[in-house]
Amino acid sequence: MIPSFSKNTLSTAMTLAVFCSACAMPLAANAESVLSIAMTAADIPRTSGQPDQGFEGNRFTGIPMYDALVGWDLSSDKGATPLTPGLATSWTVDEADKTKWIFKLRPDVTFHDGSPFNAEAVVWNVGKVLDKSAAQYDPAQVGATVSRMPTLKAAKAIDAMTVEITTTEPDAFLPYNLTNLFMASPVQWQKKFDAVPAAVKDPLERSKQAWNAFASEASGTGPFKLSRLVPRSRLEIVKNDHYWNPARVPKLDKVVLIPMPEASARTAALMSGQVDWIEAPAPDALEPIKARGNTIYTNVQPHIWPWQFSLTEGSPWADKRVRQAANLCVDREGMKGMLGGLMAPAQGVVAKSSPWWGTPTFDIKYDPDASRKLMQEAGFSESKPVKVKVQISASGSGQMQPLPMNEYIQQNLKECFFDVQFDVVEWNTLFNSWRLGAKDASAHGAQATNVSAATMDPFFAMVRFVSSKALPPVSNNWGYVIDDTFDDYIRQARTSFDPAQRDAALAKLHTRMVDEAVFLYVAHDVGPRAISNKVKGVVQPQSWFIDIATMSKE
């Protein structure tokens, strides 16, 4: 068992609110325009360029403080979020050699420390995660980066504002992947490196100390600049008046980010006025939250909340009948009611409206009788249930409300001859374990892991979970899915630079992922966040991300 979702979240929040209101800093007394946000993370996401803490890190320390060559257009709440030029103004693949791409860079961009952004800076930033011989190579940033762009091989400067990027194989997904490579200032880092005591001889230790110092005085090109960092407590970022995109020069003077993993604590902080914005509000507090002058923002998300099964030897999930039985024994509509309507039931990685849906024959629905029949065929019964262990978190980016959701599934599956036990770990621990795989000691013997995933591009949605080239520690094929048909569909999609042909291959891939039930498909998030009505210009796109730079506060 795990802790039940409290039926008294609201009363708990109200009690905490009394305390918080007494201790909170009265922002109204400050002449600055300050926006305070309570995150679900238990710590401040990494500030040195490649955030940790999942995509909540990209949302709150990546996109505000840094830019990538390719970005996401977060300006609309209608339709899928498209790619947009970032620090690159254009990109083309070499028709003669599709492992080579040419990126034209944006002129007249400077880092926060005043140094210029150019081709050498791009090469340097690729080196920080790929080149083990480079002084700036940082293993701490590798795990959160390379697993998201596994075909990235090298970069070289053609001229001051042109870069050639090479992949290990033709890869039409590269522009999507590069949204995750944020550009940090080589000049600012070098200052920190030069200040490392000469007595420190080990190259990796020198690099580590330089990056740790850089994290407190970070320099990117984004619309906000780091002002103050207190680990595990708060991050303050201030407006960059000289940001290169006039449409995104911040209207806010400062943003304060506070880690607050407990839903009741976040709710209390919002209702007391300690913060202006909370991620993932408690479902049973939505009406009182709105009554206190706040708005609940939601939108369809490119997101899947699954159990990712281990197919390793000895795992009960290696039996397709058991995987399908689990999918037929979860009452997703009942879960939606428990969450106050803040989810969409999942029947696959993507929704049926997606061009990647395909033609699955396995109909994922709530049918416990059919589930029990499959379990009996697999040799299980009420007196002989299958024992499974699932590694989960208590909070985290995209994790929605993981404790009550997992307990709900546990109770559902008990009716279909599953004996489910949980290994509850901190979110960042779970996220790091995800890349290490089911065979690693960090899995603690679990046969499934519950890490929510972004599905806005082909690699993130499907490829990294079922490609034999994405086995741990390369990427997120945690469960060791090895299947020639999956690999063939992935090859077809990855080498198709025509969007229609690529979508057709991806539809075949998704069809097989549903029919093989490689996940327990549970929910799509709707990204609920509660924000004070004093905050204006909020656009909730169909994305994991949101643009703070365009917001203001009364």
Side-chain angles (χ1 to χ4, degrees):
M1 290 289 289
I2 59 176
S4 297
F5 186 68
S6 173
K7 302 297 185 183
N8 299 309
T9 301
L10 179 57
S11 60
T12 303
M14 293 299 290
T15 302
L16 286 169
V18 174
F19 170 76
C20 290
S21 62
C23 65
M25 187 74 72
L27 297 179
N30 194 329
E32 291 182 306
S33 174
V34 180
L35 175 66
S36 295
I37 303 173
M39 305 178 291
T40 67
D43 197 0
I44 302 296
R46 186 187 294 119
T47 57
S48 51
Q50 300 306 129
D52 56 2
Q53 302 290 342
F55 268 180
E56 192 165 37
N58 283 32
R59 184 185 307 137
F60 290 129
T61 65
I63 292 171
M65 293 169 56
Y66 295 90
D67 293 301
L69 294 178
V70 184
W72 295 100
D73 183 348
L74 304 173
S75 62
S76 175
D77 59 1
K78 305 292 193 299
T81 302
L83 295 177
T84 190
L87 292 176
T89 57
S90 66
W91 50 90
T92 55
V93 67
D94 187 331
E95 289 301 323
D97 181 357
K98 288 187 167 60
T99 66
K100 297 184 184 301
W101 293 73
I102 297 297
F103 286 77
K104 295 291 185 180
L105 304 184
R106 189 174 298 280
D108 304 320
V109 175
T110 58
F111 289 101
H112 298 152
D113 61 289
S115 61
F117 168 75
N118 53 31
E120 290 299 335
V122 175
V123 174
W124 186 92
N125 274 278
V126 171
K128 75 184 179 187
V129 294
L130 282 188
D131 185 358
K132 294 182 179 180
S133 67
Q136 74 273 20
Y137 180 74
D138 184 16
Q141 298 188 66
V142 169
T145 310
V146 175
S147 63
R148 296 171 174 173
M149 50 189 78
T151 65
L152 182 63
K153 181 180 180 182
K156 72 175 182 179
I158 303 300
D159 58 43
M161 303 307 293
T162 309
V163 174
E164 178 187 86
I165 291 182
T166 306
T167 56
T168 56
E169 60 183 290
D171 188 357
F173 307 153
L174 182 69
Y176 291 103
N177 296 162
L178 289 178
T179 61
N180 298 289
L181 182 63
F182 294 106
M183 298 292 142
S185 168
V187 172
Q188 178 76 343
W189 182 87
Q190 190 65 44
K191 291 177 183 176
K192 303 304 178 186
F193 184 76
D194 292 343
V196 175
V200 180
K201 302 296 185 183
D202 180 71
L204 284 179
E205 181 59 27
R206 289 186 65 83
S207 175
K208 178 181 177 181
Q209 290 191 24
W211 279 114
N212 286 344
F214 181 94
S216 295
E217 297 182 40
S219 177
T221 62
F224 290 94
K225 304 182 292 184
L226 191 149
S227 173
R228 181 175 178 234
L229 170 63
V230 182
R232 304 194 75 86
S233 178
R234 66 195 283 123
L235 171 67
E236 298 178 8
I237 55 178
V238 297
K239 69 185 294 185
N240 174 13
D241 287 311
H242 305 291
Y243 187 57
W244 56 265
N245 183 352
R248 296 188 64 229
V249 174
K251 299 177 177 64
L252 296 160
D253 294 309
K254 181 188 291 185
V255 177
V256 178
L257 296 157
I258 303 169
M260 205 173 290
E262 295 287 340
S264 57
R266 290 195 301 275
T267 300
L270 179 67
M271 297 180 74
S272 70
Q274 182 188 8
V275 299
D276 307 297
W277 166 341
I278 64 172
E279 296 287 279
D284 62 353
L286 298 182
E287 292 306 317
I289 284 174
K290 288 188 285 188
R292 288 289 190 97
N294 306 289
T295 297
I296 306 295
Y297 291 89
T298 64
N299 205 341
V300 177
Q301 299 274 287
H303 167 279
I304 182 66
W305 193 99
W307 283 4
Q308 188 173 350
F309 298 135
S310 169
L311 303 192
T312 57
E313 185 177 357
S315 170
W317 305 114
D319 189 328
K320 178 178 174 179
R321 295 169 297 185
V322 175
R323 301 195 302 270
Q324 290 188 332
N327 272 285
L328 293 172
C329 200
V330 175
D331 181 4
R332 295 163 182 81
E333 289 295 338
M335 179 182 287
K336 181 178 179 179
M338 180 190 73
L339 295 178
L342 298 180
M343 65 162 271
Q347 293 181 283
V349 175
V350 298
K352 288 185 176 181
S353 58
S354 170
W356 307 336
W357 173 257
T359 55
T361 57
F362 177 48
D363 184 16
I364 295 176
K365 57 187 177 182
Y366 182 47
D367 189 345
D369 289 336
S371 173
R372 285 187 285 267
K373 184 174 185 295
L374 284 168
M375 290 295 284
Q376 288 168 339
E377 292 173 3
F380 301 104
S381 64
E382 185 175 5
S383 61
K384 185 189 173 185
V386 61
K387 295 182 181 295
V388 295
K389 183 178 182 180
V390 187
Q391 196 166 60
I392 69 173
S393 68
S395 64
S397 172
Q399 292 293 88
M400 303 174 68
Q401 304 291 341
L403 294 183
M405 291 171 73
N406 275 299
E407 185 177 57
Y408 186 92
I409 295 170
Q410 181 187 50
Q411 293 168 349
N412 275 182
L413 293 186
K414 185 177 181 180
E415 300 300 316
C416 299
F417 317 143
F418 288 87
D419 180 1
V420 179
Q421 300 299 318
F422 294 114
D423 177 36
V424 185
V425 297
E426 191 269 332
W427 164 237
N428 220 36
T429 301
L430 180 68
F431 191 79
N432 290 333
S433 171
W434 192 33
R435 187 174 62 87
L436 298 176
K439 296 179 182 179
D440 190 78
S442 63
H444 299 166
Q447 301 104 355
T449 189
N450 171 223
V451 180
S452 57
T455 61
M456 65 272 204
D457 70 72
F459 178 75
F460 267 54
M462 293 178 280
V463 173
R464 58 177 170 159
F465 301 123
V466 294
S467 169
S468 63
K469 294 182 179 180
L471 294 172
V474 174
S475 194
N476 300 118
N477 189 346
W478 181 89
Y480 290 82
V481 178
I482 302 173
D483 179 271
D484 289 342
T485 303
F486 278 139
D487 285 343
D488 184 51
Y489 292 157
I490 291 167
R491 180 193 57 76
Q492 292 176 34
R494 181 166 259 153
T495 58
S496 295
F497 290 81
D498 175 78
Q501 292 178 4
R502 185 166 64 244
D503 285 349
L506 292 167
K508 291 189 289 186
L509 177 62
H510 185 260
T511 294
R512 185 165 177 81
M513 287 184 70
V514 174
D515 287 344
E516 290 296 312
V518 295
F519 284 175
L520 174 59
Y521 301 100
V522 180
H524 302 300
D525 197 5
V526 294
R529 48 181 54 98
I531 302 179
S532 167
N533 291 339
K534 294 179 181 179
V535 181
K536 306 300 181 182
V538 178
V539 176
Q540 172 111 340
Q542 293 184 16
S543 171
W544 277 50
F545 309 128
I546 190 167
D547 193 359
I548 303 171
T550 57
M551 299 181 194
S552 62
K553 182 182 170 186
E554 292 180 343

